[in-house]
Amino acid sequence: MKPRTGLLVFGILLAAAGTASAQLRQGTVELNPYDGDLFGGRFDRSSKQSFDQRLEVNDHATYGGRLGYNFTSLFEMELQYSRTDTAFVTSHGDRFGQSGQRLGDLQIDYYMGYATVNFGHRRVVPYFTIGAGAARLHSDCPTRVANADPRFP
């Protein structure tokens, strides 16, 4: 999604939020598909067995969904899943060659769960959320770098 399109969609949703009459209802289900961007990151040296240098993670699109159930008008449980298919890339000034060179694929899956307690039914409803989750990272690097530690296959 282009930045201008994203800002337009955000503006429309923000304008419509005032007219929406969202209510907390016992026994209702909430579905929320979404997409967005992962703003990369890095793996420091020795955290990735195939490489002995710091690796960057490429920025990429992420997508997923949330499923929530309102047990009462004040208590909700929510599950979330998201996935990003990105890549390892060389960082600035390393010995693998040119910066930004693709070294291998990386899939990131997030599994999360939340519990939310709403305090009241007024126009403004304060709430408290607590959650936990796990991430699954699956890498696929077709070739090893010559300087990699031979102890790791």
Side-chain angles (χ1 to χ4, degrees), residues 84-135:
T84 305
D85 294 310
T86 185
F88 292 113
V89 293
T90 56
S91 61
H92 303 291
D94 66 13
R95 67 174 158 228
F96 293 139
Q98 194 170 344
S99 176
Q101 177 185 356
R102 185 184 188 103
L103 298 173
D105 296 329
L106 175 65
Q107 290 178 341
I108 306 171
D109 294 310
Y110 289 109
Y111 305 91
M112 293 179 268
Y114 308 97
T116 300
V117 177
N118 297 292
F119 300 106
H121 299 283
R122 297 173 299 280
R123 187 167 179 85
V124 176
V125 179
Y127 63 92
F128 175 78
T129 298
I130 188 166

Side-chain angles (χ1 to χ4, degrees), residues 36-83:
D37 282 326
L38 170 77
F39 295 109
R42 71 172 182 247
F43 285 87
D44 288 326
R45 183 182 320 183
S46 80
S47 64
K48 177 68 182 122
Q49 295 173 353
S50 298
F51 303 102
D52 65 353
Q53 294 292 311
R54 186 177 83 181
L55 295 175
E56 300 291 328
V57 175
N58 208 14
D59 295 350
H60 208 275
T62 186
Y63 58 92
R66 293 184 185 102
L67 172 67
Y69 182 76
N70 291 297
F71 289 93
T72 69
S73 62
L74 300 177
F75 180 70
E76 176 188 17
M77 293 290 288
E78 189 172 33
L79 299 173
Q80 176 180 332
Y81 169 78
S82 65
R83 179 171 201 146

